[in-house]
Amino acid sequence: MNGGPSARFEHPSVEPVKTVTSEALKSTPLAAAHAALGARLTPFAGYAMPVQYPAGILKEHLWTRAHAGLFDVSHMGPAFLELTAPTGDGEADHRAVAAAVEPLVCGDVRGLKPGQFRYTLLLNAAGGVLDDLMIGRPAGPDQQGRLYLVVNAGTKEADFAAIATAGGGAARLSRADDGALIAVQGPEAVAVVEPLIPGVAGLGFMTFAEFPFEGHVLTVSRSGYTGEDGYEILAPAALAEGLWARLMADDRVAAVGLGARDSLRLEAGLPLYGHDADETTSPVEAALTFALSRRRLKARDFPGAARIAAELADGPARVRVGLKVLQGAPAREGAAITDPEGTAIGVVTSGGFSPSLGGPIAMGYVPPASAAPGTALCVVVRGRSQAAVVAELPFTRHRYFRKPKPAQEVADHAFHQGS
Amino acid sequence: MRFTKDHEWVDLVGDIATIGITAYAAEQLGDVVFVELPEAGRALKAGDAMAVVESVKAASDVYAPISGEVTAVNGELGDNPQTVNDQPEQSGWFVQVKVADAHDVDALMDRAAYESFLATL
């Protein structure tokens, strides 16, 4: 995304798309659909992606909170990791494929239940975050020894190379990023998708399954990155336009670009990789400790485990927090965070205007002593100090689907601990 | 009304120029959520960053199209920044400036020239 603090009007962030060198950018299977809708495209992670449609970011954001937003996230990196020689013993095969990827991540892959989809982190040897990603275990007894992965667009080449290497001769990585990944997010998502893909209403939050569709197979997870209930649908490229068109035909659905995806995830308190977490931040600093497996912490068998265990015991040097900016302009990435006396204590890693709250919000890093909700701080925007206060994350309540019970299991699946 | 390649408009009455951003600029920026204006009395030189307009997505500078002294700013934009999108070339004006030299305004593009310029973008 374009986050320059200050851009002249001729800056690419507001230039018409025809100046984008299309031969240098990849397009998704939905490029024609975006053009027909009048999308404004922006280069993102090597793809020409819709940043907004004619309705604009504000309306697209609020529509997603109230109804159902339709997002093309085909630039992301879905893939499957499969044992090359499964034994046919489902449990043993799952343990074997989990063992291939676990050395790269801090999460419990082995302990995934059939059908479960989990947020985890790829780490470097220093415990820095190389990427955040989803890993799922298929539900079907005949599909064990296989994992469904979705990594970030900007990091997918490096992620896929690392995972393929880790798989060695035991597990083979197959990329699925030549298809379409379509997200439907919002309180009306289930009512929209269920008639088209019967059965998806039965999925619990953070689970996934395969569904037949027009002679092909869709991989559908009940997940997303907006804080709302909804689905992410992996479809073969040949089905993408038809599925998109059938979803758009529903009055409850509006197309939503990456601009509103960014403001939605910010309100939901979800970190954007490369901004709110990167190779220099540990999961403890990034306030992502829910992604650390207890079993694996005990065994210390993931990259950077020693640093992470020390930070859990002694506290990190800095931690990611939410900030409500109480006056003035939005504080964007790079803005300094100071204490009320003006001493610099941290930096904003993403920020903008919250359409739901009607004011500016941000995320950034501060020392733990200044991280308690309610702490008065300041942000510096264009040389001017503006009052801010540390806020609980998420800024807007998550409205993920929860099956009535068992309550404990749902809590375990929740993206954010205690949310 | 005169226009710049940075998509500002200037409307000169007597020696007072009212300045804002064009409908094209407002449309390109998207939903405006905050406008930072200069203080009255500030002396502007043509090309100075005189204001900042923030959309949901990004901040953009607005440059002084001419030199002069700020005599008034549009306080309405503090409470209703969306006015920039709704009426960019009327009540969404940014500042009024007492121009140093009225000929500076004549040197800017007229509407026909600006629209030809837009067609090249």
Side-chain angles (χ1 to χ4, degrees):
Chain A
M1 312 285 290
N2 235 307
S6 205
R8 224 176 155 110
F9 286 134
E10 61 266 43
H11 191 277
S13 64
V14 292
E15 280 231 322
V17 68
K18 62 185 172 185
T19 62
V20 170
T21 46
S22 53
E23 56 274 17
L25 290 175
K26 288 177 269 189
S27 57
T28 78
L30 294 163
H34 301 319
L37 289 167
R40 185 180 301 169
L41 302 184
T42 192
F44 185 78
Y47 286 79
M49 296 301 295
V51 63
Q52 65 168 82
Y53 298 87
I57 295 174
L58 211 56
K59 288 198 180 78
E60 292 168 24
H61 179 117
L62 295 172
W63 185 271
T64 304
R65 291 270 181 253
H67 305 287
L70 185 60
F71 303 73
D72 178 11
V73 290
S74 306
H75 59 311
M76 294 188 72
F80 294 91
L81 184 67
E82 266 173 292
L83 285 186
T84 46
T87 64
D89 175 343
E91 205 54 40
D93 286 342
H94 174 68
R95 289 175 79 104
V97 76
V101 74
E102 275 200 349
L104 302 179
V105 302
C106 58
D108 183 5
V109 182
R110 192 175 85 190
L112 287 172
K113 298 180 185 73
Q116 192 180 354
F117 202 42
R118 178 173 275 166
Y119 177 86
T120 190
L121 303 168
L122 273 169
L123 299 177
N124 65 23
V129 180
L130 293 170
D131 197 11
D132 57 353
L133 69 155
M134 308 297 301
I135 297 187
R137 173 182 179 178
D142 55 339
Q143 294 180 305
Q144 301 304 302
R146 188 169 201 245
L147 296 172
Y148 176 41
L149 315 168
V150 184
V151 306
N152 274 305
T155 48
K156 66 182 176 182
E157 299 304 330
D159 290 3
F160 286 158
I163 294 165
T165 301
R172 186 179 54 243
L173 185 77
S174 324
R175 296 173 70 136
D177 60 340
D178 56 345
L181 193 62
I182 295 171
V184 189
Q185 300 278 295
E188 293 178 346
V190 59
V192 166
V193 182
E194 173 66 20
L196 290 182
I197 312 171
V200 295
L203 287 172
F205 177 58
M206 294 297 271
T207 70
F208 76 106
E210 291 183 349
F211 295 86
F213 185 81
E214 294 178 357
H216 296 262
V217 170
L218 304 176
T219 302
V220 183
S221 59
R222 195 154 193 174
S223 59
Y225 222 57
T226 60
E228 298 294 334
D229 184 20
Y231 300 94
E232 290 168 301
I233 305 166
L234 177 64
L239 295 188
E241 283 197 317
L243 178 59
W244 179 272
R246 287 177 70 180
L247 288 162
M248 280 298 292
D250 192 308
D251 288 344
R252 295 165 290 192
V253 172
V256 180
L258 291 186
R261 182 171 157 86
D262 192 46
S263 54
L264 287 159
R265 69 90 200 162
L266 178 61
E267 282 183 352
L270 305 176
L272 179 62
Y273 186 74
H275 301 263
D276 307 302
D278 61 28
E279 290 177 35
T280 70
T281 53
S282 76
V284 183
E285 291 176 326
L288 299 172
T289 52
F290 68 91
L292 297 167
S293 152
R294 251 173 248 147
R295 163 177 67 83
R296 307 213 40 216
L297 270 173
K298 200 177 251 179
R300 298 206 179 181
D301 63 352
F302 57 87
R307 171 195 176 179
I308 287 164
E311 285 183 346
L312 285 171
D314 306 331
R318 55 180 181 158
V319 67
R320 181 174 62 97
V321 296
L323 292 170
K324 277 187 186 164
V325 179
L326 303 176
Q327 55 178 149
R332 304 195 188 263
E333 184 173 7
I337 303 172
T338 74
D339 64 18
E341 287 71 49
T343 305
I345 60 165
V347 65
V348 168
T349 51
S350 58
F353 181 83
S354 162
S356 301
L357 302 180
I361 58 173
M363 295 197 287
Y365 281 80
V366 297
S370 299
T375 305
L377 297 173
C378 295
V379 290
V380 182
V381 180
R382 295 184 285 276
R384 209 165 299 172
S385 185
Q386 301 175 183
V389 63
V390 178
E392 298 264 13
L393 291 177
F395 295 100
T396 54
R397 200 170 57 83
H398 291 166
R399 298 192 294 179
Y400 301 135
F401 174 68
R402 275 131 170 65
K403 283 188 171 170
K405 57 187 223 171
Q408 187 51 49
E409 186 174 319
V410 173
D412 287 345
H413 293 194
F415 185 94
H416 268 159
Q417 243 175 9
S419 64
Chain B
M1 201 178 267
R2 297 281 170 156
F3 302 87
T4 72
K5 287 188 173 181
D6 287 335
H7 309 288
E8 288 108 17
W9 56 264
V10 181
D11 188 21
L12 186 67
V13 177
D15 62 352
I16 299 295
T18 303
I19 300 170
I21 66 169
T22 65
Y24 172 85
E27 199 273 327
Q28 288 292 306
L29 286 168
D31 306 295
V32 172
V33 297
F34 185 84
V35 180
E36 190 172 294
L37 296 170
E39 284 174 22
R42 183 172 152 197
L44 294 174
K45 274 206 308 227
D48 284 354
M50 66 165 198
V52 180
V53 56
E54 299 253 9
S55 67
V56 177
K57 191 163 161 45
S60 300
D61 285 324
V62 179
Y63 298 91
I66 49 163
S67 301
E69 183 186 316
V70 177
T71 56
V73 300
N74 187 358
E76 167 70 12
L77 301 185
D79 295 328
N80 295 304
Q82 186 71 27
T83 308
V84 176
N85 296 111
D86 295 342
Q87 297 199 302
E89 296 178 17
Q90 296 91 30
S91 50
W93 63 278
F94 280 35
V95 296
Q96 289 188 323
V97 169
K98 184 174 182 187
V99 299
D101 182 348
H103 291 104
D104 290 352
V105 179
D106 294 337
L108 303 176
M109 289 182 278
D110 62 15
R111 188 173 285 279
Y114 178 63
E115 295 200 339
S116 304
F117 167 67
L118 287 184
T120 68
L121 297 183

